Amino acid sequence: MADSSFSSFDVVVIGAGPVGLACAIEVQRRGLTACVVDKGALVNSLIGYPTNMEFFSTPELLEIGGYPMTTLHYKPLREDALDYYRRVAFAEQLTLRLYERVTGLEGEVGRYEVVTEKGRLGARYVIVATGFYDVPNYLNVPGEELPHVTHYYKEPYAHADQDVVVVGAKNSSAKAALQLLRAGARPILVVRGAQISDSVKYWIRPDLLNRIKEGRIGALFNTTVERITPTTVEVRTPEGLRSLPAQHVYALTGYHPDFRFLTALGISCQGDAAQTPTHDADTLETNRPGLYLAGTVCGGLNTSRWFIENGRYHAQVIAARLAGEATPALPAVQQPIAY
């Protein structure tokens, strides 16, 4: 375990997710020293994913550093990925400073100091690979702060014989509603739009639609949440106000990057709808020289633009640039496969 005394590296990577780890690996392989710092655990976001969650990707699309991801499943589970990324980080002997929150960045390229709650880290360059999973898209309604309301779904078993409201219409909401039903809960979906999203995976969407048709999963469309009480969710439907019984509420309305953190690092955002953090599309360098972005955070509110499968290539681009090598081209942006 690293102590809190001042240490200096060629590169400090902020974020110990898969893309952050890939960045540190590629940097080290080019003879540069690297340190990965994260406010939480190793691959902290994956720890927050639902228990036994199945990735929508095949293993090879989630691999970093050239290490094969071995699994008995055609599509890896959350637990497979957690074990894999831990083994890769240890095999590469990455310097990790976990549970250490970064609060600011001082200095300039070649002489940066990453300020954390435990001290300072010197760095010639800094890479930000902080993803988007830490900040939910809040409903901003009264009662959202109540203890039975959460924006993260883990597993259904505590909700047997309970009324559960699930807000949202995409993959997370669909899978949660189906799991809740099969664990003995009484789920009802509250959907702002007119239908379940077309982005819900093809093997999940029919299952959900059929359960709704059967009446085993309730669903209200063109409906918004007005307020949450300790025992109900008050919604506005096309027919007027309605009160839904709820012992638990899952507001699965998505997540976004921590823009306040990016601002604290001196990264500006463009004036587009996605609030895209300012960076060069080819080099991934931000408006602050020597400070780079990698992974999902590059897309701002467009969190489906970059993900593990294509964000891992950011590591090669940045590392090559820092080592003075020819910068490889990024792969064409595709629709997301994972999660």
Side-chain angles (χ1 to χ4, degrees), residues 137-187:
N137 296 328
Y138 289 106
L139 298 171
N140 294 315
V141 298
E144 191 170 10
E145 75 288 346
L146 290 170
H148 69 301
V149 181
T150 180
H151 297 83
Y152 297 91
Y153 171 78
K154 288 294 291 184
E155 58 184 21
Y157 308 109
H159 306 306
D161 196 34
Q162 299 285 293
D163 297 301
V164 183
V165 170
V166 180
V167 184
K170 295 188 177 180
N171 283 295
S172 296
S173 301
K175 292 169 73 174
L178 288 167
Q179 287 190 2
L180 286 162
L181 171 67
R182 287 162 182 151
R186 294 180 292 274

Side-chain angles (χ1 to χ4, degrees), residues 243-264:
S243 181
L244 307 176
Q247 280 84 46
H248 201 92
V249 180
Y250 285 105
L252 305 180
T253 50
Y255 312 91
H256 63 268
D258 189 342
F259 290 109
R260 287 189 297 178
F261 177 68
L262 297 179
T263 299

Side-chain angles (χ1 to χ4, degrees), residues 199-211:
S199 67
V200 174
K201 296 303 177 182
Y202 66 87
W203 63 91
I204 298 174
R205 196 171 192 273
D207 189 4
L208 178 64
L209 293 177
N210 285 329
R211 303 297 79 73

